[in-house]
Structure formats: C-alpha cells, structure tokens
Amino acid sequence: MKPPPFTYHDPRTVSDVLSLLGSLENAKLLAGGQSLAPMLNFRYVLPDHLIDLNKVDELAYIKIEGRRIRVGAMTRQRALERDDALARACPILREALAEVGHFQTRNRGTIGGSLSHLDPAAELPGVMALYDAHLEVQSSSGKRTIGIADWGQGYMTPNLQADELLTGISWEAWENPHGHAFVEFARRKGDFAAVGVGCLLSLNPDQTVKRAAIVLVGVAYAPVRVMSAERLLLGKALDIEAAAAEARRIEAKSDLFASGAYRQRLAGVLTARALRTAFERAKSGG
C-alpha cells in the first residue's frame, strides 16, 4: 500500500520544528521512520502534515560528563550501540540494542523515536526505566522534564502534547563495578519480544545485594519496574527464586501472540536468568 497524501516539511532547527508544531493541525514527526513508515503505508495513521526531523542536527548527540549521560532524541540506535565510552558506562544499553530489530533498522531508528512510539515490547524504554531517566520536552511556550515513570499514558501514548517535541534524554550511570543483563523471548530473532527483562545489580563486599533494578517489557503498555523484587533483594544474599516469584505476580496483558498467564511465567523464568547473569558479572567486576 501507499501512504495517504500529506504535506511534507523539512525543518533545520528545533525552533523551526516547534513553530510548525504550534501552527499545524494533525501533524506527525518523522524520526527514523522504522515504525511510522509502515503505519503510514497501512493507513494506521492519517496525518495532514509530516515534519521530518532528520536534518535537525542539534538533536543528535551523546554527552558523557562523569556518570551523567545526555543523549539527543535523534541519536541513531546504531550510534548508541557502537559508542565505546557509553558501553563502558552503561553496558546494558549495548546488550539491549542487540535485541532491537536488525542492524539495518538500528541504522535508521532513533532513541527518541522509540521512546515516542512507545511500543509495549520496545527495549529502549525498558532500559531508560532501569536508570530512572528524565526526558526533556519542548514546545513554543517552554520546556519541561518528565520522569520515565510518568512517560507512558496508555497504549503507545507518551506524555507529549500535540505541540511538543522530545529533544533529549538524560540519566545517571551506575557506579562500577556492577552487573547487568538484558534477556528476552521472541518467536524469531528481530521480532518484538513476548517478554523482555533487564536488570542491574551491584554487590557489597560480602556479596550481599547493595542495589538492584529490574524491569519487564512486553507485559503492559509501558515498561514495568518490579520494585517489590528490588526491595526484597536489598541487603541480603541474592535470592533469585524469590525475585522471580515477584516477577510472576505482575499483571500481564493477553493478545494474539501470548496469554497473560504465559507472559507471567516467562517473566519469572527470564528474571531468574537475567539475575544469574548479572550476579556473575557483578562478582567478576562487571
């Protein structure tokens, strides 16, 4: 199929984008296009205007200042995956990105596009949830910062107004050494996961748990932090089975590909698998 007719806009600056968003009705933003282009072709979305962000260079950057990470919304997924300094600071990001589609799609896909599209099974929103990231949003009337916990407003619905643009994402890397793991189950390599689990883990000198973060993707409309499991682990020897049991208790959606009960079972299995890997990496110095 072919996309519906629309007026194409090709801005060069953020201010130009914001001016267009503030003056046009029924406009869509084009980032990498890996999700939007198929949706246009299938007539799932019918915009009157398409605003292309690909020549707005100020939206593409990676800045590492100590443990503080700042990334522009138009930064390509492949650039994040290949950045060695970023991989040293946040190794789980490279591991999760390896599960995102195929390298051809990562060449075009952007972090801001993934966060704004907000597919329930998307890996990047899950990783950002692990780090309690903050999202920087702009409109012609000003700026605001949104915590990742408040980003998802419903199925594929981010906390963005029609005249707003996601410009950047920031988070704080964990102190090294720490362990990490991102695992998922999909029907085929490159498909969206039925369930994905990411975890970060740091240990005290006696190998009890100093800090833990566990997130599930694919089970609800947005990433789910398993905070009950995180609290259960703190200050104790790692209890993988107890954490997996907490993951199985989450409320999971059913769809054509998997039932809620199956996703709950997967959540427990994958949480246990991720924690084992993260624990071994934490013990060996990350």
Side-chain angles (χ1 to χ4, degrees), residues 177-191:
H178 70 271
H180 71 279
F182 194 99
V183 296
E184 64 179 46
F185 177 80
R187 290 166 42 175
R188 296 175 301 180
K189 173 66 177 174
D191 280 0

Side-chain angles (χ1 to χ4, degrees), residues 32-223:
Q34 301 307 292
S35 299
L36 181 59
M39 292 175 75
L40 287 168
N41 289 340
F42 283 113
R43 308 292 177 103
Y44 289 150
V45 291
L46 302 168
D48 293 319
H49 301 272
L50 191 68
I51 303 171
D52 190 343
L53 301 177
N54 280 274
K55 293 181 181 177
V56 186
D57 295 336
E58 61 191 289
L59 290 176
Y61 57 83
I62 300 171
K63 298 179 181 179
I64 303 176
E65 301 160 350
R67 286 169 46 209
R68 196 70 187 166
I69 315 293
R70 295 182 64 245
V71 173
M74 280 296 292
T75 306
R76 304 289 175 188
Q77 294 165 3
R78 196 66 162 158
L80 297 171
E81 186 179 10
R82 289 178 166 178
D83 192 289
D84 290 333
L86 188 58
R88 287 191 294 272
C90 306
I92 194 172
L93 186 58
R94 178 175 283 179
E95 187 160 287
L97 280 163
E99 304 287 349
V100 177
H102 305 278
F103 75 85
Q104 294 95 332
T105 56
R106 298 195 294 275
N107 281 340
R108 296 301 303 164
T110 65
I111 184 171
S114 178
L115 288 164
S116 297
H117 184 60
L118 203 59
D119 190 283
E123 293 84 356
L124 284 172
V127 174
M128 294 300 99
L130 281 175
Y131 286 107
D132 296 309
H134 289 86
L135 294 91
E136 300 151 14
V137 168
Q138 279 188 241
S139 70
S140 296
S141 58
K143 301 179 181 180
R144 64 187 180 118
T145 301
I146 306 165
I148 189 68
D150 298 318
W151 182 243
Q153 300 293 288
Y155 179 72
M156 296 176 70
T157 306
N159 189 355
L160 270 177
Q161 301 302 315
D163 63 343
E164 288 183 321
L165 170 69
L166 174 62
T167 56
I169 306 96
S170 63
W171 69 93
E172 192 154 311
W174 279 32
E175 290 183 357
N176 284 318
H178 70 271
H180 71 279
F182 194 99
V183 296
E184 64 179 46
F185 177 80
R187 290 166 42 175
R188 296 175 301 180
K189 173 66 177 174
D191 280 0
F192 282 113
V195 177
V197 178
C199 72
L200 299 172
L201 196 66
S202 63
L203 303 176
N204 294 309
D206 62 358
Q207 294 195 352
T208 57
V209 176
K210 179 180 180 181
R211 188 180 179 190
I214 303 169
V215 71
L216 306 178
V217 299
V219 299
Y221 67 80

